[in-house]
Amino acid sequence: MKRARTAVMVFVVMAIAVASLGIGCPKDPYRAALQGSDDVASAVHAAIDITAAYYSTNKLTDAEKAMVASYLNNVTDSNMKFRHGVVTAHDSGVTGNAAYLALAQDFVNAVPTDPTAFRYQSAAAQQEFSVVLGAVKAALNGISLAVQQAKSK
Amino acid sequence: MDPVAIINLSLVIADEAISLIKSIKAQSGMTNEQLAAHAEAQDLANKDDIKKLLAL
């Protein structure tokens, strides 16, 4: 049931994210970048909780936990660097999408690992983490699209 | 899928959708500064939680 819940959660996140691109408030690229960064942080938070839950019930090995934690740590570090770069650019008076798009691309390049390629001993963990870490990856990759669609002030 | 499971799944979908909409609405009510601070706080909490996770 929890697996279904997670899958549903990811589906709804992606559906709302896609819908918000079309019908959401017209965001400037700075705002779009900040929201994307916040979404990444939220997705990582959810992934950490699920990782802890799975490990505590022996559905993850020590090595698998370390693998997931390492990925999430890299995403978090890169997210912080991205957001600080975005704020610096904005405070310097940068407008237009190009600079924020470049920062978003740097973020993507800083996390080359595809977490959906991770392999787990437990079939339940394989299914769950494919979804949960897929949501983190989607949030990260979604920033570029959101910035592209934003309207410069 | 039996009817009870369908109903349960529908409730799960509705519950998650409501949570996500609340989160999006919370984001939309924030200024840029508040949004940046919110993301920063979450990232710092995540860093801390990852350390705890590795120590388990």
Side-chain angles (χ1 to χ4, degrees), chain A residues 32-98:
Chain A
L34 289 178
Q35 285 187 335
S37 180
D38 194 54
D39 289 343
V40 168
S42 294
V44 168
H45 172 70
I48 292 169
D49 282 351
I50 290 170
T51 304
Y54 265 65
Y55 184 73
S56 67
T57 53
N58 300 316
K59 291 175 193 162
L60 277 184
T61 65
D62 287 341
E64 289 165 353
K65 183 191 71 168
M67 173 179 67
V68 172
S70 174
Y71 170 74
L72 295 176
N73 200 50
N74 186 24
V75 171
T76 300
D77 285 342
S78 301
N79 191 34
M80 293 177 82
K81 185 177 176 184
F82 163 70
R83 190 177 53 255
H84 296 167
V86 161
V87 171
T88 299
H90 176 260
D91 290 350
S92 302
V94 168
T95 56
N97 300 31

